[in-house]
Amino acid sequence: MPAAPIVRLEAAGKQFGEHWAVRGIDLAVPAGCCFGLLGPNGAGKTTTLRMIYGATRPSEGRVRVFGFDVANEPRAVRSRLGMTLQEDALLEEVSPRANLRIFGRHHLLREPELSARVEELLDHLELRSHADLPVRALSGGFKRRLAIARSLMNRPELLVLDEPTTGLDPAVRQALWSSIRALRRSGTTILLTTHYMDEAERLCDRVAIFAQGRIVAEGSPAELVALHLAAQALEVEHEEGDGRARSGLLADLAADPTCVHALTIGSRTILYAADTAPLLARLHATPAPDAQRAIARPTNLEDVFLRLTGSSISEDAP
C-alpha cells in the first residue's frame, strides 16, 4: 500500500470578505518529493501555502499535514516542518552562527547537539567563510542561504520554500539548487513556490499550476508538456502589434495541420508541433518581413504555463 501523502488538501478554500482567494483545492504531496506551486501573482498559491503551514485558517474544506488537521493542531505540524519565506527575518546585528544557535534553542536543542547541528549547517549551506560576520554585512545570496539553514535546524520532515531564489544572481541560484537537491535526496519533502520555470523544471518532481484561485493542472513537468502541447516549439520574434504577424505567413504556419497550437504574446509567436523542422523550412523559404528571428527548441514548462494561464509568469514576477 502506498504511503499516505505528507500534505493533503481536500476541497480547501479561503475567503477574504466577498473574495475567494482559493476555492476547491484538492492536493496531495507525496513524502520525499519536491512539489512546486506555480501561478501568476494573485492566483492563490501563497494563500494555499499559508494554509499548509498554519498561518491562514481555511474557510472551507480540510488541510492535513503529517495526518494532523492544521487548523486544530498547528503545533504538532510546525514542530516537524521548516519554513523559508520571502522575507528572511534574520537577526541582522549578530552573526550567522549566532542566528543558528538562537533558532536552535527555540526548537529546544541542547548541547552538544546544538553546536553539532550549527556546524553541520554552516558546512551544508557553505556559510563557514562568513559564519562570524554580522548578518547585515552579508550579500543577499548569503542571507538566503542562512535563512534556509535556519529553517533546517529542527531536521524538518517537510521544508516550505516560498520563492527561495528570487532576486539572486545565477551562480547563487545554482548553489542553492544543489542544496535543495541534496535535501531531496536525503528524504526531506520540499514544497516550494517559484517564479522561475527553469527552477521548477530542474527541481520539482511534480507541480500544480494555479489560475484565478484554482488548480488548473497538476503533474510532472514532462507529463504536463505531453498532455497540453507538442514536443517542439518554434519561437518567432516580430514587431509587437504588427498585424502581419497574425495575418501573413505566421498565420499560415499556425493553420498548418502539423501545428497543434499557436500563441502570440507581445512580440513573440510560438508554434507547437511534434516536429517543427517543416515549419522552420517554410519560414526560411518564404520572405517574411514580419518575422525577425526564429528559434526551434523543445517545449518547456513555461509554454504549458502560457497555454493554461494566458500570461507569462515572468511578467508577474516581482
Side-chain angles (χ1 to χ4, degrees), residues 24-104:
I25 300 297
D26 292 304
L27 192 65
V29 178
C33 83
C34 182
F35 198 106
L37 306 183
L38 311 178
N41 286 340
K45 61 187 186 299
T46 297
T47 298
T48 300
L49 206 63
R50 288 175 61 84
M51 290 194 296
I52 290 170
Y53 64 75
T56 295
R57 190 181 185 93
S59 303
E60 65 178 12
R62 176 180 290 185
V63 179
R64 300 182 71 84
V65 180
F66 309 121
F68 297 106
D69 187 313
V70 180
N72 297 325
E73 300 177 273
R75 289 187 180 180
V77 171
R78 289 175 185 169
S79 65
R80 297 168 64 182
L81 63 78
M83 295 181 291
T84 300
L85 306 181
Q86 293 183 43
E87 298 296 327
D88 292 331
L90 301 169
L91 300 175
E92 294 274 337
E93 299 304 313
V94 299
S95 67
R97 190 188 304 275
N99 267 267
L100 293 177
R101 292 188 65 84
I102 292 167
F103 202 69

Side-chain angles (χ1 to χ4, degrees), residues 249 253 277-288:
L249 177 62
L253 293 177
L279 298 176
L280 184 60
R282 285 185 59 188
L283 189 65
H284 286 161
T286 305

Side-chain angles (χ1 to χ4, degrees), residues 22-317:
V22 291
R23 195 164 198 185
I25 300 297
D26 292 304
L27 192 65
V29 178
C33 83
C34 182
F35 198 106
L37 306 183
L38 311 178
N41 286 340
K45 61 187 186 299
T46 297
T47 298
T48 300
L49 206 63
R50 288 175 61 84
M51 290 194 296
I52 290 170
Y53 64 75
T56 295
R57 190 181 185 93
S59 303
E60 65 178 12
R62 176 180 290 185
V63 179
R64 300 182 71 84
V65 180
F66 309 121
F68 297 106
D69 187 313
V70 180
N72 297 325
E73 300 177 273
R75 289 187 180 180
V77 171
R78 289 175 185 169
S79 65
R80 297 168 64 182
L81 63 78
M83 295 181 291
T84 300
L85 306 181
Q86 293 183 43
E87 298 296 327
D88 292 331
L90 301 169
L91 300 175
E92 294 274 337
E93 299 304 313
V94 299
S95 67
R97 190 188 304 275
N99 267 267
L100 293 177
R101 292 188 65 84
I102 292 167
F103 202 69
R105 291 192 196 101
H106 172 76
H107 281 286
L108 305 180
L109 296 184
R110 297 290 182 262
E111 296 292 358
E113 182 185 6
L114 174 59
S115 291
R117 185 60 174 156
V118 168
E119 298 306 311
E120 180 182 351
L121 289 172
L122 288 175
D123 287 333
H124 182 64
L125 274 299
E126 299 181 6
L127 287 162
R128 187 166 295 281
S129 62
H130 294 64
D132 298 306
L133 296 175
V135 167
R136 56 178 163 74
L138 301 184
S139 67
F142 272 99
K143 288 181 179 180
R144 206 60 174 150
R145 291 185 200 180
L146 176 57
I148 293 176
R150 193 179 66 168
S151 69
L152 295 172
M153 280 298 299
N154 61 328
R155 302 184 188 274
E157 298 169 58
L158 171 65
L159 177 62
V160 175
L161 301 173
D162 192 7
E163 299 183 21
T165 66
T166 294
L168 302 182
D169 66 56
V172 176
R173 286 177 66 205
Q174 291 277 356
L176 283 175
W177 288 351
S178 295
S179 299
I180 293 169
R181 290 190 188 101
L183 289 167
R184 159 75 172 74
R185 289 194 298 271
S186 72
T188 304
T189 304
I190 299 169
L191 183 64
L192 67 84
T193 69
T194 179
H195 275 106
Y196 300 116
M197 292 293 99
D198 62 331
E199 183 164 271
E201 282 192 297
R202 290 168 186 253
L203 297 180
C204 295
D205 301 293
R206 297 182 67 80
V207 299
I209 297 177
F210 285 69
Q212 299 180 342
R214 296 185 182 273
I215 294 175
V216 296
E218 182 191 336
S220 72
E223 288 171 348
L224 294 179
V225 168
L227 181 61
H228 294 283
L229 287 170
Q232 297 184 15
L234 178 60
E235 187 170 327
V236 184
E237 292 186 7
H238 49 75
E239 292 184 13
E240 189 166 356
D242 187 352
R244 292 174 300 178
R246 279 162 287 279
S247 61
L249 177 62
L250 291 180
D252 292 340
L253 293 177
D256 189 288
T258 65
C259 180
V260 301
H261 191 70
L263 288 171
T264 296
I265 306 100
S267 61
R268 292 184 299 155
T269 291
I270 310 173
L271 309 168
Y272 300 96
D275 180 6
T276 57
L279 298 176
L280 184 60
R282 285 185 59 188
L283 189 65
H284 286 161
T286 305
D290 51 326
Q292 299 173 346
R293 189 167 70 114
I295 300 172
R297 57 171 176 77
T299 302
N300 56 39
L301 190 58
E302 183 167 12
D303 295 304
V304 176
F305 188 91
L306 290 169
R307 172 77 188 273
L308 295 176
T309 70
S311 65
S312 170
I313 199 166
S314 61
E315 294 170 358
D316 296 280

